[in-house]
Amino acid sequence: CVVGRILELTTGRSYIDLISDDLWSQIGAEHDAAIVIDVGGFPFAGGGMTATLRDIARYGLTLNAPNR
């Protein structure tokens, strides 16, 4: 997805590393998530991620968290 590629180019980090370090590790996830990649090896940033129900719920709680 274009958004993932833009993030990679502007930060100098891979999309998967960005998600892992800046999101997944911050929500207290218990398990790794899987990110779908296309035939060219690029991650599908438009929603191609699978995870346990509990970890997805943790992510969902961050969407409704008040700004601090």
Side-chain angles (χ1 to χ4, degrees):
C1 186
V2 175
V3 173
R5 188 66 181 138
I6 291 170
L7 286 170
E8 289 180 336
L9 292 172
T10 57
T11 64
R13 298 169 57 200
S14 75
Y15 176 76
I16 293 172
D17 287 342
L18 286 167
I19 294 297
S20 177
D21 297 341
D22 298 340
L23 175 69
W24 213 244
S25 66
Q26 301 301 313
I27 65 170
E30 294 178 0
H31 303 282
D32 290 338
I35 296 178
V36 177
I37 58 171
D38 66 14
V39 294
F42 295 102
F44 182 65
M49 184 172 77
T50 60
T52 63
L53 181 60
R54 191 174 279 196
D55 287 342
I56 291 293
R58 283 185 177 93
Y59 172 69
L61 289 172
T62 65
L63 298 177
N64 293 320
N67 294 333
R68 299 175 208 241

